[in-house]
């Protein structure tokens, strides 16, 4: 199984001691473990290979560390980890990374530039490196990385590279080794793994600071109802699930201790299968886009957690400076305009049904995961709105394994379930959604102009990235390869009975989306907590 996850890690996010809420000087008197609802599958399979997409959460961030990241919840500020600073050179074809010379592996040996050089070489050897890295060489305070082409837009992926010890990984096969006895440089070591939970024990000798939370337990929960009860009883300290009526069922049950902060970190579009007629017709796509009442969709479950999004796909709440004023606001529903577009594709209303030139009603089945109550509610609202236009629209709710299978086989009319994460610049967002080379471009968008625009944005210097993103925004506006509907608000929920210092809207020192249980985001969060 080849990488991508190796660089993106499980994240989907410094000075750790300098942050607000920092707990570096407060060794925990509290011995209360911190419990995270991290999974929904029935059983957990031990896998702590940081290069495997099946690695358990916590592998990256708690056991292994990344180079650095950016806090997308707070102006994209730099978050040091193993690297304390970076400096671009040669027009984006080289970068110097300064390593934190305090870093040590869990056996007490130093983490050195040799380990970093080895890791990049190992990733290239095993075809796991999704970056245009040419060479990595030692410098006085770290490493010098050269690229085969300007790599400005890949800075976040570069930072998320997971560093492993050369002396252990030189003999490992990243495709088959589950690494059940991991040894990293992070603040935790592996405790115990059972079918329902994985525990991580704080390292007394962590190189950066004292670790305030003595044990973190990642558990799997079998149902939304059970999770709700566990949250209310404070048996779960941190969760991200879409529980129903979350404000009344969780927050209002103990307003002083129970907290919710929706994180708008990704966009969830309606994705039509462009390889299946009539969805290859842009007028059909435009007609459907014009018929959607996005506010009603986002209000279908936990109003306020999701937000309507504008037609470029970029969230107008945080990306407004990148979007032309006329294109910022979400498209308002307009049935007359929708019918006019569909008429250009040959569809006309007859007896309340949209009938095509072949005499058949326009039919649309929207694939989604049936076990996600929030996803089902949003999709049912979408289908209902399109049915009101005259489309034979319905929800095809299936188990998650069937959803993935149908998606992989491209056996669907439409999907409403995938989401695309915003990064430090729009390159990764648009590339994953639109590039013909992207595995997550499941709609089959294949357009030379898009590939050209992506190539230009990938190599654009930071001060030129806004302009370089405009052609991609225009493709979204005029061609609608996917139909932006909502910004996915991840319901980050926590309580303060046992631990305080959580990131919040008033103190967004890290990005607490689901990535906050992995990667630099996780380390920042757990190292910043204090005993209540």
């Amino acid at each position: 199984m080849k990488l991508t996850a190796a660089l993106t890690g499980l994240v989907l996010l410094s000075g750790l001691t300098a942050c607000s809420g920092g707990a570096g000087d407060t060794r925990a008197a509290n011995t209360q473990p911190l419990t995270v609802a991290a999974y929904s599958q029935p059983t957990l399979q031990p896998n702590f290979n940081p290069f495997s997409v099946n690695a358990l959460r916590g592998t990256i961030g708690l056991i292994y560390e990344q180079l650095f990241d950016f806090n997308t919840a707070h102006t994209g500020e730099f978050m040091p980890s193993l690297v304390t600073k970076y400096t671009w050179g040669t027009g984006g074809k080289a970068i110097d990374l300064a390593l934190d010379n305090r870093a040590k592996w869990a056996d007490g040996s130093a983490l050195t530039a040799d380990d970093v050089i080895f890791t990049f070489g190992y990733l290239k050897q095993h075809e796991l490196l999704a970056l245009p890295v040419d060479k990595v060489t030692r410098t006085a305070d770290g490493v010098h990385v050269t690229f085969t082409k300007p790599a400005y837009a890949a800075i976040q992926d570069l930072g998320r590279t997971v560093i492993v010890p050369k002396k252990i990984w030189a003999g490992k096969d990243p495709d088959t080794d589950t690494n059940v006895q991991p040894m990293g440089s992070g603040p935790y070591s592996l405790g115990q793994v059972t079918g329902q939970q994985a525990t991580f024990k704080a390292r007394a000798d962590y190189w950066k600071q004292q670790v305030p939370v003595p044990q973190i337990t990642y558990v799997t929960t079998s149902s939304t109802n059970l999770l709700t009860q566990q949250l209310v009883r404070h048996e779960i300290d941190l969760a991200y699930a879409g529980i129903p009526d979350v404000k009344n069922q969780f927050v209002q049950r103990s307003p002083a201790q129970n907290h919710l902060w929706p994180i708008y970190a990704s966009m969830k579009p309606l994705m039509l299968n462009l390889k299946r007629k009539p969805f290859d017709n842009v007028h059909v796509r435009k007609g459907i886009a014009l018929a959607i009442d996005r506010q009603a969709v986002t209000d279908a479950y936990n109003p306020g957690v999701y937000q309507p999004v504008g037609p470029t796909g970029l969230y107008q709440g945080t990306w407004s400076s990148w979007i032309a004023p006329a294109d910022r606001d979400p498209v308002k529903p307009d049935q007359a305009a929708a019918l006019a577009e569909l008429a250009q594709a040959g569809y006309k209303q007859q007896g309340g049904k949209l009938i095509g030139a072949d005499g058949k009603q326009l039919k649309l089945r929207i694939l989604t995961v049936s076990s996600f109550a929030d996803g089902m509610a949003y999709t049912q609202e979408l289908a209902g709105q399109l049915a009101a236009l005259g489309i034979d629209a319905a929800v095809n709710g299936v188990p998650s394994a069937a959803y993935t299978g149908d998606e992989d086989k491209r056996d669907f009319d439409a999907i409403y379930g995938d989401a695309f994460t915003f990064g430090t610049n729009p390159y990764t967002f648009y590339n994953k959604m639109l590039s013909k080379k992207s595995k997550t471009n499941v709609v089959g968008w294949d357009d030379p102009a898009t590939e050209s625009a992506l190539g230009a944005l990938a190599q654009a210097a930071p001060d030129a990235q806004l302009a370089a993103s405009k052609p991609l925004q225009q493709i979204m506006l005029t061609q609608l390869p996917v139909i932006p509907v909502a910004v996915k608000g991840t319901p980050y929920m926590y309580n303060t009975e046992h631990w305080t210092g959580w990131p919040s809207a008033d103190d967004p020192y890290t990005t607490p989306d689901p990535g906050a249980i992995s990667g630099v985001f996780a380390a920042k969060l757990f190292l910043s907590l204090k005993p209540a």
Side-chain angles (χ1 to χ4, degrees):
M1 186 174 295
K2 301 300 180 186
L3 176 71
T4 26
L7 295 185
T8 57
L10 297 172
V11 188
L12 261 210
L13 313 203
S14 183
L16 294 176
T17 56
C19 65
S20 53
D25 59 349
T26 57
R27 182 63 177 172
N30 187 353
T31 58
Q32 176 73 32
L34 190 150
T35 303
V36 183
Y39 304 99
S40 59
Q41 63 260 46
T43 58
L44 305 181
Q45 299 298 323
N47 185 336
F48 299 93
N49 175 352
F51 306 127
S52 169
V53 295
N54 297 314
L56 292 181
R57 286 168 174 157
T59 301
I60 301 173
L62 300 191
I63 295 177
Y64 294 98
E65 294 181 293
Q66 297 168 312
L67 295 173
F68 58 88
D69 211 325
F70 295 90
N71 183 6
T72 51
H74 187 226
T75 66
E77 64 185 359
F78 177 65
M79 299 177 72
S81 179
L82 296 174
V83 163
T84 58
K85 69 175 183 179
Y86 65 90
T87 306
W88 284 107
T90 324
K93 294 183 71 173
I95 192 169
D96 284 308
L97 305 177
L99 297 175
D100 193 323
N101 59 18
R102 298 174 298 163
K104 294 185 183 301
W105 298 110
D107 65 358
S109 62
L111 188 158
T112 69
D114 284 345
D115 292 306
V116 179
I117 294 169
F118 163 77
T119 299
F120 279 104
Y122 183 84
L123 294 173
K124 290 185 73 172
Q125 175 190 349
H126 293 281
E127 300 179 4
L128 299 175
L129 190 61
L131 292 166
V133 171
D134 183 21
K135 295 180 180 177
V136 185
T137 54
R138 176 190 290 271
T139 62
D141 63 351
V143 296
H144 178 73
V145 183
T146 59
F147 304 97
T148 56
K149 57 185 179 182
Y152 290 118
I155 184 66
Q156 194 163 30
D157 287 340
L158 177 71
R160 289 177 176 176
T161 302
V162 180
I163 303 303
V164 295
K166 176 181 178 181
K167 57 190 173 187
I168 292 177
W169 279 85
K172 283 181 175 287
D173 182 343
D175 294 334
T176 60
D177 198 318
T178 54
N179 193 36
V180 293
Q181 294 182 314
M183 197 277 282
S185 61
Y188 288 83
S189 58
L190 180 62
Q192 184 179 18
V193 184
T194 68
Q196 282 69 49
Q197 66 180 42
T199 61
F200 301 90
K201 302 287 188 181
R203 285 179 50 196
D205 58 347
Y206 179 52
W207 60 271
K208 188 173 292 185
Q209 67 169 81
Q210 290 185 317
V211 183
V213 183
Q215 176 179 308
I216 296 174
T217 304
Y218 285 6
V219 302
T220 185
T221 50
S222 58
S223 71
T224 301
N225 288 336
L226 175 60
L227 174 59
T228 304
Q229 296 171 25
Q230 293 173 314
L231 278 166
V232 170
R233 294 195 296 258
H234 293 178
E235 296 167 358
I236 297 286
D237 298 288
L238 171 63
Y240 297 90
I243 66 175
D245 195 14
V246 62
K247 292 180 181 177
N248 288 320
Q249 293 299 317
F250 173 62
V251 178
Q252 293 303 321
R253 299 292 291 272
S254 180
Q257 292 186 318
N258 295 353
H259 304 277
L260 165 71
W261 178 23
I263 303 300
Y264 300 117
S266 61
M267 191 276 287
K268 191 171 178 178
L270 177 64
M271 301 168 67
L272 300 172
N273 189 340
L274 306 181
K275 299 298 184 184
R276 183 174 289 184
K277 291 184 180 301
F279 311 115
D280 58 339
N281 188 316
V282 69
H283 296 295
V284 171
R285 302 197 294 273
K286 287 183 176 181
I288 289 174
L290 285 163
I292 296 173
D293 183 342
R294 289 161 177 77
Q295 187 65 60
V297 172
T298 58
D299 287 346
Y301 195 92
N302 283 334
V305 172
Y306 278 33
Q307 293 290 335
V309 69
T312 68
L314 296 172
Y315 178 41
Q316 62 277 6
T318 52
W319 291 87
S320 61
S321 64
W322 290 67
I323 312 168
D327 304 321
R328 288 175 187 160
D329 293 336
V331 175
K332 294 181 179 178
D334 186 336
Q335 283 221 354
L339 291 172
E341 284 289 347
L342 288 160
Q344 293 189 64
Y347 287 94
K348 296 182 180 179
Q349 275 193 335
Q350 297 178 21
K353 299 180 180 179
L354 271 172
I355 306 298
D358 58 0
K360 296 180 180 178
Q361 185 180 12
L362 177 54
K363 183 177 179 180
L364 179 67
R365 294 292 178 266
I366 308 175
L367 182 68
T368 197
V369 178
S370 57
S371 57
F372 297 157
D374 51 350
M376 284 293 291
Y378 297 127
T379 311
Q380 286 166 347
E381 174 63 29
L382 264 176
Q385 292 179 13
L386 297 176
L389 190 69
I391 298 173
D392 177 12
V395 176
N396 179 21
V398 299
S400 59
Y403 176 92
T404 302
D406 288 348
E407 188 177 56
D408 288 345
K409 292 182 293 186
R410 311 295 190 257
D411 185 15
F412 60 86
D413 293 335
I415 281 179
Y416 195 64
D418 290 12
F420 297 89
T421 304
F422 305 119
T424 55
N425 64 69
Y427 173 72
T428 300
F429 173 70
Y430 282 131
N431 187 63
K432 288 186 175 180
M433 195 160 54
L434 303 179
S435 173
K436 65 179 181 182
K437 300 173 185 174
S438 170
K439 293 181 180 179
T440 50
N441 171 16
V442 298
V443 300
W445 181 249
D446 184 355
D447 174 52
T450 300
E451 297 303 320
S452 177
L454 286 169
L457 179 56
Q459 299 186 38
D463 60 359
Q465 289 172 350
L466 190 157
S469 75
K470 292 297 185 182
L472 292 163
Q473 294 188 45
Q474 280 301 309
I475 288 168
M476 291 289 290
L477 293 168
T478 60
Q479 300 300 310
L480 286 76
V482 301
I483 299 174
V485 175
V487 171
K488 182 180 179 181
T490 300
Y492 155 63
M493 297 172 286
Y494 61 95
N495 76 75
T496 55
E497 178 177 352
H498 307 300
W499 298 97
T500 63
W502 299 87
S504 66
D506 294 330
D507 187 12
Y509 64 81
T510 189
T511 303
D513 70 1
I517 53 178
S518 258
V520 177
F521 296 166
K524 183 77 170 181
L525 190 157
F526 294 128
L527 291 173
S528 300
L529 297 180
K530 297 177 181 178

